[in-house]
């Protein structure tokens, strides 16, 4: 028996001639803890805990270890776009290998931007945000399971390393000039939001089966059934 996360892996194995009756979709045990974790999240309490404005909405930018020129270009682009949005503030979550918090704070001053660089739990940051922006991140599935929007950017001229936009669960920005427009689309366009939501449901089915905290138990039950045959 092969226990897999979702339909996507099952389809790959069937293509490789693994018999269908030898494959069991159980879900992704890696996100079981997240399901349990978010049950204790309370927006008002988190805003109080981190001294954030209750009247603001938040956009989260999770950085990557880019070159100085790349991170400056990305930050300026995002800062400019967010500074033009009414009612929104920006949170930055630094990648463990990105220690340029002074750079981001300095750049933000050029846009009179209310910027918060927070070091608390990344899932609490995602929970507080209406939109999560990144170039390339392994957090995409977590963001989608928490019901948040994703916007990816890639100014390199090369193909994206992630498939979020291709799968229709995110919008992608390839040119800095389109950042503001794309942010407004994902936050305000009801049709785009509806389409993304439908695609997210399929994406989770394909890659994690269900976000219900029970994947590990399904794996355990499948193993137990084999042992008792």
């Amino acid at each position: 028996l092969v226990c897999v996360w979702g339909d996507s892996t099952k389809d790959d194995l069937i293509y490789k001639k693994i018999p269908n009756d030898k494959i069991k979709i159980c879900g992704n045990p890696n996100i079981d803890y997240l399901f349990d974790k978010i049950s204790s999240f309370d927006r008002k309490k988190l805003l109080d805990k981190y001294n954030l404005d209750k009247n603001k909405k938040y956009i989260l930018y999770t950085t990557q270890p880019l070159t100085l020129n790349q991170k400056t270009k990305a930050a300026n682009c995002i800062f400019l776009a967010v500074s033009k949005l009414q009612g929104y503030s920006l949170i930055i979550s630094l990648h463990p290998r990105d220690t340029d918090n002074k750079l981001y704070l300095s750049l933000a001053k050029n846009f009179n931007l209310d910027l918060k660089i927070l070091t608390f739990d990344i899932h609490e940051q995602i929970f507080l945000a209406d939109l999560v922006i990144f170039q390339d991140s392994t957090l995409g599935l977590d963001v989608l399971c928490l019901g948040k929007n994703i916007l990816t950017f890639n100014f390199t001229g090369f193909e994206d390393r992630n498939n979020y936009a291709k799968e229709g669960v995110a919008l992608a920005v390839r040119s800095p000039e389109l950042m503001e427009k794309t942010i407004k689309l994902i936050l305000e366009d009801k049709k785009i939001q509806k389409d993304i939501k439908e695609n997210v449901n399929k994406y989770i089915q394909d890659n994690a089966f269900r976000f219900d905290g029970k994947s590990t138990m399904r794996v355990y039950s499948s193993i137990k059934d084999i042992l008792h045959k």
Side-chain angles (χ1 to χ4, degrees):
L1 180 70
V2 182
C3 294
V4 299
W5 288 2
D7 288 335
S8 180
T9 309
K10 180 179 180 179
D11 291 344
D12 287 343
L13 292 177
I14 291 175
Y15 179 77
K16 294 175 181 178
K17 310 301 182 184
I18 304 297
N20 182 61
D21 61 356
K22 299 296 184 183
I23 306 170
K24 181 69 176 293
I25 296 177
C26 295
N28 184 347
N30 291 336
I31 58 173
D32 280 354
Y33 80 100
L34 180 58
F35 182 84
D36 296 328
K37 183 179 181 180
I38 63 173
S39 64
S40 64
F41 286 180
D42 179 277
R43 181 177 177 82
K44 184 178 183 301
K45 289 181 180 179
L46 288 176
L47 291 171
D48 286 339
K49 180 179 179 180
Y50 301 110
N51 195 30
L52 296 174
D53 189 340
K54 299 179 182 63
N55 297 313
K56 292 276 190 177
K57 294 182 179 180
Y58 290 93
I59 293 172
L60 173 64
Y61 170 37
T62 64
T63 72
Q64 275 80 40
L66 307 174
T67 66
L68 179 60
N69 284 340
Q70 287 174 331
K71 68 176 64 177
T72 301
K73 181 177 182 179
N76 280 331
C77 169
I78 294 168
F79 292 178
L80 175 62
V82 176
S83 70
K84 295 181 179 180
L85 298 176
Q86 292 294 322
Y88 282 90
S89 288
L90 184 68
I91 297 172
I92 283 187
S93 176
L94 294 178
H95 187 279
R97 288 190 287 141
D98 183 0
T99 58
D100 280 331
N101 56 315
K102 290 183 180 179
L103 170 70
Y104 295 114
L105 290 170
S106 175
L107 292 174
K109 291 179 181 177
N110 298 329
F111 303 95
N112 194 29
L113 185 66
D114 180 19
L115 175 66
K116 305 288 186 182
I117 298 179
L118 301 178
T119 57
F120 58 88
D121 188 305
I122 183 60
H123 291 116
E124 291 181 350
Q125 296 179 50
I126 294 170
F127 180 80
L128 289 173
D130 284 8
L131 172 66
V132 181
I133 301 175
F134 55 74
Q135 176 166 312
D136 186 39
S137 176
T138 57
L139 283 170
L141 181 59
D142 294 28
V143 175
L144 297 175
C145 285
L146 285 170
K148 304 300 180 175
N149 293 307
I150 294 175
L151 187 149
T152 67
F153 66 89
N154 182 357
F155 304 146
T156 66
F158 298 103
E159 283 289 316
D160 289 345
R161 292 197 298 173
N162 63 68
N163 65 345
Y164 304 120
K166 289 180 181 178
E167 295 282 351
V169 298
L171 295 188
V173 177
R174 300 292 193 281
S175 171
E177 293 76 20
L178 295 176
M179 180 63 74
E180 181 188 357
K181 177 182 178 182
T182 309
I183 289 176
K184 286 183 177 180
L185 281 175
I186 200 167
L187 291 175
E188 299 173 2
D189 191 300
K190 300 301 182 184
K191 183 180 186 308
I192 287 177
Q193 291 172 353
K194 180 176 180 292
D195 291 343
I196 287 177
K197 184 176 181 180
E198 291 174 356
N199 292 332
V200 166
N201 292 335
K202 182 179 185 305
Y203 186 88
I204 292 175
Q205 173 74 29
D206 286 347
N207 294 280
F209 184 46
R210 292 174 187 157
F211 181 52
D212 60 3
K214 298 178 181 179
S215 298
T216 302
M217 283 304 302
R218 284 190 285 269
V219 174
Y220 170 77
S221 297
S222 298
I223 295 172
K224 188 177 178 181
D225 289 344
I226 292 175
L227 294 176
H228 286 81
K229 279 186 177 179

Short mmCIF file of all heavy atoms in Angstrom, two decimals, residues 54-81:
data_model
loop_
_atom_site.label_atom_id
_atom_site.label_comp_id
_atom_site.label_asym_id
_atom_site.label_seq_id
_atom_site.Cartn_x
_atom_site.Cartn_y
_atom_site.Cartn_z
N LYS A 54 -6.37 48.11 15.07
CA LYS A 54 -7.57 47.31 14.82
C LYS A 54 -8.38 47.82 13.64
O LYS A 54 -9.23 47.11 13.09
CB LYS A 54 -8.45 47.28 16.07
CG LYS A 54 -7.80 46.67 17.30
CD LYS A 54 -8.75 46.73 18.49
CE LYS A 54 -8.11 46.16 19.75
NZ LYS A 54 -6.92 46.94 20.18
N ASN A 55 -8.17 49.07 13.25
CA ASN A 55 -8.93 49.66 12.15
C ASN A 55 -8.26 49.46 10.80
O ASN A 55 -8.78 49.91 9.77
CB ASN A 55 -9.13 51.16 12.41
CG ASN A 55 -9.95 51.41 13.65
OD1 ASN A 55 -10.99 50.78 13.85
ND2 ASN A 55 -9.49 52.32 14.50
N LYS A 56 -7.10 48.82 10.79
CA LYS A 56 -6.37 48.58 9.55
C LYS A 56 -6.56 47.14 9.07
O LYS A 56 -6.83 46.23 9.84
CB LYS A 56 -4.88 48.82 9.77
CG LYS A 56 -4.49 50.26 10.03
CD LYS A 56 -4.33 51.03 8.74
CE LYS A 56 -3.70 52.40 8.98
NZ LYS A 56 -3.48 53.12 7.73
N LYS A 57 -6.41 46.97 7.77
CA LYS A 57 -6.25 45.64 7.20
C LYS A 57 -4.77 45.47 6.87
O LYS A 57 -4.05 46.45 6.67
CB LYS A 57 -7.10 45.49 5.94
CG LYS A 57 -8.60 45.54 6.21
CD LYS A 57 -9.39 45.34 4.93
CE LYS A 57 -10.89 45.36 5.19
NZ LYS A 57 -11.67 45.16 3.95
N TYR A 58 -4.33 44.21 6.78
CA TYR A 58 -2.89 43.97 6.66
C TYR A 58 -2.54 43.12 5.45
O TYR A 58 -3.24 42.16 5.11
CB TYR A 58 -2.35 43.33 7.94
CG TYR A 58 -2.35 44.32 9.08
CD1 TYR A 58 -3.44 44.39 9.95
CD2 TYR A 58 -1.32 45.22 9.25
CE1 TYR A 58 -3.48 45.33 10.98
CE2 TYR A 58 -1.35 46.16 10.27
CZ TYR A 58 -2.42 46.20 11.12
OH TYR A 58 -2.45 47.14 12.13
N ILE A 59 -1.44 43.52 4.83
CA ILE A 59 -0.82 42.75 3.75
C ILE A 59 0.53 42.25 4.29
O ILE A 59 1.28 43.02 4.90
CB ILE A 59 -0.62 43.61 2.49
CG1 ILE A 59 -1.99 43.97 1.89
CG2 ILE A 59 0.24 42.86 1.46
CD1 ILE A 59 -1.91 44.96 0.75
N LEU A 60 0.81 40.98 4.07
CA LEU A 60 2.04 40.38 4.57
C LEU A 60 2.98 40.11 3.40
O LEU A 60 2.60 39.48 2.41
CB LEU A 60 1.72 39.07 5.28
CG LEU A 60 2.92 38.21 5.72
CD1 LEU A 60 3.76 38.93 6.75
CD2 LEU A 60 2.44 36.85 6.26
N TYR A 61 4.21 40.60 3.53
CA TYR A 61 5.26 40.32 2.55
C TYR A 61 6.30 39.43 3.22
O TYR A 61 6.95 39.85 4.18
CB TYR A 61 5.89 41.62 2.05
CG TYR A 61 7.14 41.45 1.21
CD1 TYR A 61 7.28 40.38 0.31
CD2 TYR A 61 8.19 42.36 1.30
CE1 TYR A 61 8.43 40.23 -0.45
CE2 TYR A 61 9.34 42.22 0.53
CZ TYR A 61 9.45 41.16 -0.33
OH TYR A 61 10.60 41.00 -1.09
N THR A 62 6.44 38.20 2.74
CA THR A 62 7.45 37.30 3.28
C THR A 62 8.66 37.33 2.34
O THR A 62 8.54 37.03 1.16
CB THR A 62 6.92 35.85 3.41
OG1 THR A 62 6.62 35.32 2.12
CG2 THR A 62 5.67 35.82 4.26
N THR A 63 9.80 37.73 2.88
CA THR A 63 10.97 37.96 2.05
C THR A 63 11.72 36.66 1.75
O THR A 63 11.49 35.64 2.40
CB THR A 63 11.94 38.96 2.70
OG1 THR A 63 12.60 38.33 3.81
CG2 THR A 63 11.22 40.21 3.18
N GLN A 64 12.60 36.75 0.78
CA GLN A 64 13.51 35.66 0.43
C GLN A 64 14.95 36.18 0.43
O GLN A 64 15.16 37.40 0.36
CB GLN A 64 13.17 35.09 -0.95
CG GLN A 64 12.08 34.03 -0.95
CD GLN A 64 10.69 34.63 -0.88
OE1 GLN A 64 10.39 35.64 -1.51
NE2 GLN A 64 9.83 34.00 -0.10
N PRO A 65 15.93 35.29 0.51
CA PRO A 65 17.34 35.73 0.50
C PRO A 65 17.81 36.10 -0.90
O PRO A 65 18.51 35.36 -1.58
CB PRO A 65 18.09 34.50 1.04
CG PRO A 65 17.23 33.33 0.66
CD PRO A 65 15.81 33.84 0.75
N LEU A 66 17.40 37.28 -1.35
CA LEU A 66 17.74 37.78 -2.68
C LEU A 66 19.01 38.63 -2.61
O LEU A 66 19.51 38.95 -1.53
CB LEU A 66 16.58 38.62 -3.23
CG LEU A 66 15.20 37.96 -3.24
CD1 LEU A 66 14.15 38.98 -3.68
CD2 LEU A 66 15.18 36.75 -4.14
N THR A 67 19.50 39.03 -3.77
CA THR A 67 20.62 39.97 -3.80
C THR A 67 20.10 41.33 -3.33
O THR A 67 18.89 41.59 -3.30
CB THR A 67 21.20 40.11 -5.20
OG1 THR A 67 20.21 40.73 -6.06
CG2 THR A 67 21.60 38.75 -5.78
N LEU A 68 21.03 42.22 -2.98
CA LEU A 68 20.63 43.55 -2.52
C LEU A 68 19.80 44.27 -3.57
O LEU A 68 18.77 44.88 -3.25
CB LEU A 68 21.87 44.37 -2.17
CG LEU A 68 21.60 45.81 -1.70
CD1 LEU A 68 20.74 45.82 -0.45
CD2 LEU A 68 22.93 46.55 -1.46
N ASN A 69 20.21 44.20 -4.83
CA ASN A 69 19.46 44.87 -5.90
C ASN A 69 18.07 44.26 -6.06
O ASN A 69 17.08 44.98 -6.24
CB ASN A 69 20.22 44.77 -7.22
CG ASN A 69 21.40 45.72 -7.29
OD1 ASN A 69 21.46 46.70 -6.54
ND2 ASN A 69 22.35 45.44 -8.16
N GLN A 70 17.99 42.95 -5.99
CA GLN A 70 16.70 42.27 -6.16
C GLN A 70 15.74 42.60 -5.03
O GLN A 70 14.56 42.89 -5.26
CB GLN A 70 16.92 40.76 -6.23
CG GLN A 70 17.55 40.27 -7.52
CD GLN A 70 17.87 38.78 -7.48
OE1 GLN A 70 18.14 38.21 -6.42
NE2 GLN A 70 17.82 38.14 -8.63
N LYS A 71 16.23 42.56 -3.79
CA LYS A 71 15.34 42.83 -2.66
C LYS A 71 14.93 44.30 -2.60
O LYS A 71 13.80 44.62 -2.21
CB LYS A 71 15.96 42.37 -1.34
CG LYS A 71 17.16 43.13 -0.86
CD LYS A 71 17.63 42.63 0.52
CE LYS A 71 18.10 41.20 0.45
NZ LYS A 71 18.62 40.73 1.77
N THR A 72 15.83 45.19 -3.03
CA THR A 72 15.49 46.61 -3.08
C THR A 72 14.42 46.88 -4.13
O THR A 72 13.45 47.61 -3.88
CB THR A 72 16.74 47.46 -3.36
OG1 THR A 72 17.71 47.24 -2.34
CG2 THR A 72 16.40 48.93 -3.41
N LYS A 73 14.58 46.26 -5.30
CA LYS A 73 13.60 46.42 -6.37
C LYS A 73 12.24 45.89 -5.95
O LYS A 73 11.20 46.54 -6.16
CB LYS A 73 14.08 45.69 -7.63
CG LYS A 73 13.16 45.82 -8.83
CD LYS A 73 13.75 45.12 -10.04
CE LYS A 73 12.85 45.28 -11.27
NZ LYS A 73 13.44 44.60 -12.47
N ALA A 74 12.23 44.70 -5.34
CA ALA A 74 10.97 44.10 -4.92
C ALA A 74 10.31 44.94 -3.83
O ALA A 74 9.11 45.21 -3.87
CB ALA A 74 11.22 42.68 -4.41
N ALA A 75 11.10 45.37 -2.84
CA ALA A 75 10.55 46.16 -1.74
C ALA A 75 9.98 47.48 -2.23
O ALA A 75 8.87 47.87 -1.85
CB ALA A 75 11.62 46.39 -0.68
N ASN A 76 10.72 48.20 -3.06
CA ASN A 76 10.23 49.48 -3.58
C ASN A 76 8.92 49.31 -4.33
O ASN A 76 8.00 50.13 -4.19
CB ASN A 76 11.28 50.11 -4.51
CG ASN A 76 12.39 50.80 -3.74
OD1 ASN A 76 12.19 51.29 -2.62
ND2 ASN A 76 13.58 50.86 -4.32
N CYS A 77 8.84 48.26 -5.11
CA CYS A 77 7.63 47.98 -5.89
C CYS A 77 6.44 47.72 -4.98
O CYS A 77 5.36 48.29 -5.14
CB CYS A 77 7.91 46.78 -6.78
SG CYS A 77 6.47 46.09 -7.59
N ILE A 78 6.63 46.87 -3.99
CA ILE A 78 5.55 46.52 -3.06
C ILE A 78 5.19 47.71 -2.18
O ILE A 78 4.00 48.01 -1.95
CB ILE A 78 5.95 45.30 -2.21
CG1 ILE A 78 6.07 44.07 -3.11
CG2 ILE A 78 4.93 45.05 -1.10
CD1 ILE A 78 6.75 42.88 -2.44
N PHE A 79 6.19 48.41 -1.67
CA PHE A 79 5.94 49.56 -0.80
C PHE A 79 5.14 50.64 -1.52
O PHE A 79 4.22 51.22 -0.96
CB PHE A 79 7.25 50.14 -0.29
CG PHE A 79 8.01 49.25 0.65
CD1 PHE A 79 9.24 49.63 1.14
CD2 PHE A 79 7.51 48.02 1.04
CE1 PHE A 79 9.95 48.82 2.02
CE2 PHE A 79 8.21 47.19 1.91
CZ PHE A 79 9.43 47.60 2.40
N LEU A 80 5.51 50.92 -2.76
CA LEU A 80 4.79 51.92 -3.54
C LEU A 80 3.33 51.53 -3.72
O LEU A 80 2.42 52.35 -3.53
CB LEU A 80 5.45 52.10 -4.90
CG LEU A 80 4.73 53.04 -5.88
CD1 LEU A 80 4.66 54.46 -5.32
CD2 LEU A 80 5.42 53.05 -7.25
N ALA A 81 3.10 50.26 -4.07
CA ALA A 81 1.73 49.80 -4.31
C ALA A 81 0.89 49.87 -3.03
O ALA A 81 -0.24 50.37 -3.04
CB ALA A 81 1.76 48.37 -4.85
#
